[in-house]
């Protein structure tokens, strides 16, 4: 599949994504039983994952979004995080679950976790669909729920973009190495 100037190949199909999401939701439903967590989706990339995950959450819960960017449409992290949408939900004393599309260096997540902690939540955990363990620059202890661990390669689809394209693709594709 061609997106802009690059070629991508099938990597994780829609069926497998849904199966893994069902497992993550089961874990979250069990771990947070009796509580009313606040799910924070990190836009843009997490919108599909967030929707599919939340459909399987049976807990009473609140949902809200923030918008962070570090890749700016390219192939690698810029290392500076830009916050485009501020969090307006009051999370003081709440159990917060951050929903991410992918954790690469971990810079975006570390930045956001530090911000959240300044508001005094009861707890913070992170649920990310994808993780690139080899790219991670520091351990993030809040990262408790991971859909798939992948190699250090560039992926698109299911919310993830290349040059803002490919977010609508149903399934995850990876860059064909030349
Ligand atoms: P980090 O701060 O962990 O290096 O980067 C996290 C953000 O970079 C993700 O939320 C995502 O927007 C973007 N990103 C990291 N790896 C990929 C990738 O393989 N493909 C795409 N499309 N975006 C990525």
């Amino acid at each position: 599949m061609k997106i802009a100037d690059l070629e991508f190949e099938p990597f994780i199909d829609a069926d497998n994504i849904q199966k893994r999401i069902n497992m993550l939701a089961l874990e979250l439903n069990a771990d947070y039983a009796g509580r009313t967590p606040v799910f924070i989706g990190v836009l843009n990339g997490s919108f599909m994952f967030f929707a599919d995950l939340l459909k399987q959450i049976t807990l009473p819960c609140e949902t809200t979004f923030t918008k962070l960017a570090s890749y700016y449409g390219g192939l690698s992290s810029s290392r500076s995080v830009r916050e485009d949408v501020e969090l307006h939900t009051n999370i003081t004393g709440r159990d917060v679950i951050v929903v991410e599309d992918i954790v690469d260096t971990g810079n975006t997540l570390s930045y956001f976790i530090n911000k959240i902690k300044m508001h005094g939540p009861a707890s913070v955990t992170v649920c990310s669909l994808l993780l690139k363990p080899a790219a991670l620059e520091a351990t993030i202890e809040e990262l408790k729920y991971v859909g798939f661990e992948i190699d250090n390669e560039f992926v698109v689809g299911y919310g993830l973009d290349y040059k803002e394209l490919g977010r609508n693709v149903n399934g995850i594709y990876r860059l064909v190495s030349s």
Side-chain angles (χ1 to χ4, degrees):
M1 179 182 62
K2 187 128 181 158
I3 298 181
D5 53 327
L6 294 177
E7 190 62 32
F8 293 85
E9 62 187 11
F11 184 33
I12 309 173
D13 68 30
D15 252 21
N16 275 325
I17 295 173
Q18 287 309 323
K19 283 186 188 134
R20 190 67 191 106
I21 288 175
N22 294 347
M23 302 290 294
L24 289 172
L26 279 175
E27 272 184 67
L28 287 163
N29 287 332
D31 293 355
Y32 285 84
R35 293 190 270 170
T36 305
V38 181
F39 285 86
I40 304 178
V42 181
L43 297 172
N44 288 334
S46 77
F47 75 96
M48 280 208 191
F49 176 46
F50 191 91
D52 285 340
L53 179 70
L54 267 288
K55 281 186 259 179
Q56 307 297 327
I57 296 296
T58 52
L59 305 159
C61 62
E62 286 182 43
T63 58
T64 188
F65 295 92
T66 187
K67 187 171 178 186
L68 307 173
S70 72
Y71 259 45
Y72 309 124
L75 286 175
S76 63
S77 187
S78 70
R79 276 160 209 288
S80 73
V81 181
R82 198 180 66 202
E83 186 168 358
D84 291 342
V85 176
E86 268 216 47
L87 199 63
H88 292 295
T89 308
N90 185 0
I91 53 168
T92 306
R94 304 297 303 274
D95 293 307
V96 172
I97 303 170
V98 178
V99 179
E100 261 279 24
D101 51 355
I102 186 164
V103 178
D104 184 16
T105 62
N107 286 326
T108 310
L109 199 52
S110 298
Y111 165 91
F112 189 54
I113 289 170
N114 284 338
K115 276 209 77 167
I116 288 177
K117 286 191 169 168
M118 287 192 259
H119 294 274
S123 68
V124 185
T125 58
V126 180
C127 177
S128 182
L129 179 64
L130 301 168
L131 168 67
K132 298 180 187 173
L136 204 57
E137 291 181 358
T139 310
I140 300 177
E141 59 184 38
E142 291 83 1
L143 183 53
K144 293 210 175 107
Y145 306 92
V146 172
F148 301 93
E149 292 194 353
I150 64 170
D151 286 340
N152 231 342
E153 49 199 349
F154 186 76
V155 293
V156 293
Y158 197 70
L160 291 150
D161 75 305
Y162 170 55
K163 293 189 174 173
E164 289 304 328
L165 298 169
R167 293 193 196 275
N168 56 314
V169 171
N170 193 15
I172 294 172
Y173 286 65
R174 66 177 164 206
L175 183 64
V176 176
S177 46
S178 46

